[in-house]
Amino acid sequence: MPAHLERTRGHEHREPVPAAPHTRRLARELGVEIHEVKGTGPGGRISEDDVKAHAKQMLLSATAAAQAPRESHFAAAALPDFSRWGQVERVSMRGVRRKTAEHLWQAWTSIPHVTQQDKADITELEQLRARFAPKAQEAGGKMTVTAIALKVCASALKIFPQFNASLDMAKEEIVYKQYIHIGVAVDTDRGLLVPVIRDVDKKNIVELAAELTQFSKKARDKKLTPQDMEGGTFTITNLGGIGGTGFSPIVNFPEVAILGLSRSSMEPVWSNGKFEPRLVLPLSLSYDHRLIDGADAARFLRWIAEAFEQPFLLSVQG
């Protein structure tokens, strides 16, 4: 058939290749395009060994591509020549900063994020925190809001187990963890580190305060090991020491939720027919919308807020 009619039918006209029928049959069985095989015989004749070698090379290339780390978007994006507008300095991005960038990019691109906001009245809680601070200090820790949040979140995760889970999209399964290990983001001069406190539900607040203080010190002294930052089921990040009224934290993959704490402040709250000055803590919950619905996120965050507002609730509901 004429070449232009072959193209009309959707086929590209190719010159015949020198290969025996049994060689062509082998190529079809191996899924090899015979026209792409380079023949090593006389006149470029293609042998069965040539077909096998080509198939092997295809397999090696596919394996290498699968094993190679995916190129991140921020690394691949082309940048303009900034030196056209002024002096610049380039510093190599290594160590913790590079790992953090890669991990956050993976989390942001693979998880459909939604952030739920709420507020907690911690006026009474702050009074209790000041009262029990000496006990935490005796144990080698500080009675911080983050330490209390660890216990609050551990209790909430028992009641809302979907927040203590992970998604296995490859197997189309939800992995519910029967343990509660909570990571706490620590700001260091090397970048953000997230040590994991294990079995939070089995420890009291004083113990959690002491362990949190120890981990924070290890992070800033560059003594954290990779094992110290593995196995988390939920994460807490507190920016209250710096400021802000709310933010949208990125879920720490492969977890499905993260709680952000901002700076508490005195606000007028309407109560008993009048405005009263109350200490209010902003809460920000980011979650994976593939597993968690908005209504469940609102209930989860409201439970946490009420636990902050009513510390006795922890002793009643665990």
Side-chain angles (χ1 to χ4, degrees), residues 7-61:
R7 287 194 294 269
T8 302
R9 293 178 58 200
H11 300 288
E12 181 183 357
H13 177 70
R14 295 182 176 181
E15 296 296 331
V17 296
H22 60 86
T23 302
R24 297 173 182 273
R25 183 170 59 251
L26 176 63
R28 289 194 298 270
E29 292 173 352
L30 294 179
V32 171
E33 172 55 61
I34 193 69
H35 290 82
E36 297 177 357
V37 180
K38 183 177 181 180
T40 58
R45 187 172 184 81
I46 301 173
S47 66
E48 290 187 350
D49 289 339
D50 295 330
V51 173
K52 292 177 182 178
H54 185 82
K56 183 178 180 180
Q57 186 59 44
M58 289 174 57
L59 181 61
L60 291 175
S61 299

Side-chain angles (χ1 to χ4, degrees), residues 151-171:
K151 192 63 179 178
V152 170
C153 290
S155 300
L157 292 173
K158 285 185 175 181
I159 300 173
F160 301 88
Q162 68 269 41
F163 288 83
N164 201 53
S166 288
L167 275 175
D168 188 340
M169 297 302 294
K171 296 183 179 179

